[in-house]
Amino acid sequence: MIKHGTLVRASGQSHQDMLIIDGKIAAIADHIDAAAHPQATVIDASGQLVLPGGIDVHTHFNIDVGIARSCDDFFTGTRSAVCGGTTTIVDHMGFGPKGCSLHHQLEVYKAHAKDNAVADYSFHGVIQHINDDILDEMAAMVTEEGISSFKLYLTYGYKLGDEDVFKALERLNQVGALTTVHPENDAAIAARRSKLVEQGKTAPKYHGVSRPLECEAEAIARMINLAKLADNAPLYIVHLSNGLGLDYLNLARGQQQPVWVETCPQYLTLNETVYTREDATKFILSPPLRPQAECDKLWVGLEQGQIDTVATDHCSFLYQQQKQPQHADFTRCPNGMPGVEARIPVLFSEGVMQGRITLERFVALTSTNPAKLFGLYPKKGCLAVGSDADLILIDPAADSIHRHSELHDACDYSPYEGMKLKGKLTMTLLRGQIVAKDGQFLGHAGQGQFLHRQPFNPIVELH
Ligand code: URP
Ligand code: ZN
Ligand code: ZN
């Protein structure tokens, strides 16, 4: 039983008590009598905020990117997640052997997560090539396997060309799945990269120069138009880093096109000046970090409801490994950085405590909207009777300094090292079990459950 807390929903706040039975929210009322439930453990949440557990719909655990394998697997990644207030993750399956089926990768990833995951989990399907077999497999992935979103990459090794993108959008729409996309113009990046290499400009600081924001914005605009042409297929843009891309999305939304967009804490709170640092390698991720003016535009988008979700794109590689001579050239360095444990604390501090977003919007961005878009609502993403008792408690009056040494991932740095944070996460509950408390991990490997997600809901209304 959780007493005397301030419950925060995407729709508002209330001072109420909550009773949890068998991992689900059994009652919410102004006063629930503890004496009537003598077997209940009572948590006094006086002065604290009680929010639905975080849902991070963009992680890459245990991913092999060819030149390296990420350092977090489903145990360390989800341990880190719950210690950072995230109780559900939707991970991106990595690429499998050439020509492999969608089901092949699902089995591989289920095996990675089973007996290891601490948080509840699902996966986005990954489209590494298109042919009739893959297209025909999509319906069963949605209805039988509960995989109702798929990721396309427009750059990297398994990029899809426009014809395949179009076919994927069309079929995924027909079978009730949401298409998500990593939008960057691969040809422009390749041309710029070759030029930089020719000039010997391969230090980490040139990573950002090789893929300016127009590469991303062009691909966003192209995807918006292709989705419209493909029978108005629903589209979700991942890891938005800039204002021009947001302008294109706003245009489409103004015309009622079903498009949604995610950003990440790194694009809000870090900017391109990190590339002048001696440890610039830590910030090699795609899209790269942008000028501060772009961060500012994203904050405006968050506040005004133009951005729907905040996820992390957690894809961690050891700095010790990235520093090795074979990765010193930015074109040979694995892309990505950690962040799953920092998302809730950093966005709470920089967003809510700095007065840039409301508490309700915070809940919408970190939990309710991702649950609705990805077929998890109302089991996840809300404080309601019958929902899973996935909860986080935050003390808004406490402060802390973000230190990697206090995190629970397997990485050797945090991009947010030393950040002064206002507000402190004090507890995480997964289906009624306390899995983290005051920075201590109290859960165990294998307690996370696979989530069979519902098909995409085309009339979804977000907050
Ligand atoms: O650089 C990044 N973001 N790596 C992870 C894979 C992706 O692009 O999302
Ligand atoms: Zn990506
Ligand atoms: Zn990613």
Side-chain angles (χ1 to χ4, degrees), residues 58 60 92 151 239 313:
H58 194 154
H60 303 266
H92 286 95
K151 172 81 162 285
H239 53 40
D313 197 11

PDB file of all heavy atoms in Angstrom, residues 58 60 92 151 239 313, ligand 3:
ATOM      1  N   HIS A  58      13.322   2.744 -26.681  1.00  0.00           N
ATOM      2  CA  HIS A  58      14.478   2.750 -27.595  1.00  0.00           C
ATOM      3  C   HIS A  58      15.753   2.352 -26.866  1.00  0.00           C
ATOM      4  O   HIS A  58      16.477   3.200 -26.344  1.00  0.00           O
ATOM      5  CB  HIS A  58      14.625   4.130 -28.246  1.00  0.00           C
ATOM      6  CG  HIS A  58      15.550   4.146 -29.418  1.00  0.00           C
ATOM      7  ND1 HIS A  58      15.459   5.063 -30.450  1.00  0.00           N
ATOM      8  CD2 HIS A  58      16.597   3.353 -29.748  1.00  0.00           C
ATOM      9  CE1 HIS A  58      16.399   4.838 -31.339  1.00  0.00           C
ATOM     10  NE2 HIS A  58      17.127   3.801 -30.935  1.00  0.00           N
ATOM     11  N   HIS A  60      19.180  -0.626 -27.127  1.00  0.00           N
ATOM     12  CA  HIS A  60      19.904  -1.657 -27.909  1.00  0.00           C
ATOM     13  C   HIS A  60      20.766  -2.439 -26.931  1.00  0.00           C
ATOM     14  O   HIS A  60      21.923  -2.095 -26.713  1.00  0.00           O
ATOM     15  CB  HIS A  60      20.821  -1.026 -28.950  1.00  0.00           C
ATOM     16  CG  HIS A  60      20.148  -0.116 -29.934  1.00  0.00           C
ATOM     17  ND1 HIS A  60      19.703  -0.543 -31.163  1.00  0.00           N
ATOM     18  CD2 HIS A  60      19.871   1.204 -29.892  1.00  0.00           C
ATOM     19  CE1 HIS A  60      19.176   0.473 -31.834  1.00  0.00           C
ATOM     20  NE2 HIS A  60      19.261   1.563 -31.075  1.00  0.00           N
ATOM     21  N   HIS A  92      15.497  -2.737 -29.553  1.00  0.00           N
ATOM     22  CA  HIS A  92      15.611  -2.953 -30.997  1.00  0.00           C
ATOM     23  C   HIS A  92      16.421  -4.206 -31.262  1.00  0.00           C
ATOM     24  O   HIS A  92      17.596  -4.269 -30.912  1.00  0.00           O
ATOM     25  CB  HIS A  92      16.319  -1.772 -31.662  1.00  0.00           C
ATOM     26  CG  HIS A  92      15.465  -0.562 -31.754  1.00  0.00           C
ATOM     27  ND1 HIS A  92      15.487   0.442 -30.839  1.00  0.00           N
ATOM     28  CD2 HIS A  92      14.527  -0.213 -32.674  1.00  0.00           C
ATOM     29  CE1 HIS A  92      14.615   1.374 -31.184  1.00  0.00           C
ATOM     30  NE2 HIS A  92      14.014   1.003 -32.281  1.00  0.00           N
ATOM     31  N   LYS A 151      11.361  -1.452 -37.099  1.00  0.00           N
ATOM     32  CA  LYS A 151      12.324  -0.373 -37.331  1.00  0.00           C
ATOM     33  C   LYS A 151      12.959  -0.523 -38.704  1.00  0.00           C
ATOM     34  O   LYS A 151      13.379  -1.613 -39.090  1.00  0.00           O
ATOM     35  CB  LYS A 151      13.417  -0.476 -36.240  1.00  0.00           C
ATOM     36  CG  LYS A 151      14.615   0.443 -36.402  1.00  0.00           C
ATOM     37  CD  LYS A 151      14.315   1.840 -35.913  1.00  0.00           C
ATOM     38  CE  LYS A 151      15.584   2.645 -35.645  1.00  0.00           C
ATOM     39  NZ  LYS A 151      16.258   2.258 -34.414  1.00  0.00           N
ATOM     40  N   HIS A 239      14.704   9.227 -32.248  1.00  0.00           N
ATOM     41  CA  HIS A 239      15.823  10.121 -31.859  1.00  0.00           C
ATOM     42  C   HIS A 239      15.971  11.412 -32.679  1.00  0.00           C
ATOM     43  O   HIS A 239      17.018  11.687 -33.232  1.00  0.00           O
ATOM     44  CB  HIS A 239      17.145   9.350 -31.758  1.00  0.00           C
ATOM     45  CG  HIS A 239      17.598   8.515 -32.923  1.00  0.00           C
ATOM     46  ND1 HIS A 239      17.476   8.890 -34.223  1.00  0.00           N
ATOM     47  CD2 HIS A 239      18.247   7.316 -32.934  1.00  0.00           C
ATOM     48  CE1 HIS A 239      18.016   7.959 -34.987  1.00  0.00           C
ATOM     49  NE2 HIS A 239      18.486   6.994 -34.234  1.00  0.00           N
ATOM     50  N   ASP A 313      17.760   5.537 -26.606  1.00  0.00           N
ATOM     51  CA  ASP A 313      18.713   4.997 -27.585  1.00  0.00           C
ATOM     52  C   ASP A 313      19.953   4.451 -26.871  1.00  0.00           C
ATOM     53  O   ASP A 313      21.064   4.546 -27.397  1.00  0.00           O
ATOM     54  CB  ASP A 313      19.098   6.068 -28.615  1.00  0.00           C
ATOM     55  CG  ASP A 313      19.734   5.484 -29.857  1.00  0.00           C
ATOM     56  OD1 ASP A 313      19.699   4.249 -30.024  1.00  0.00           O
ATOM     57  OD2 ASP A 313      20.279   6.265 -30.664  1.00  0.00           O
TER      58      ASP A 313
HETATM   59 ZN    ZN B   3      18.878   3.356 -31.686  1.00  0.00          ZN
END
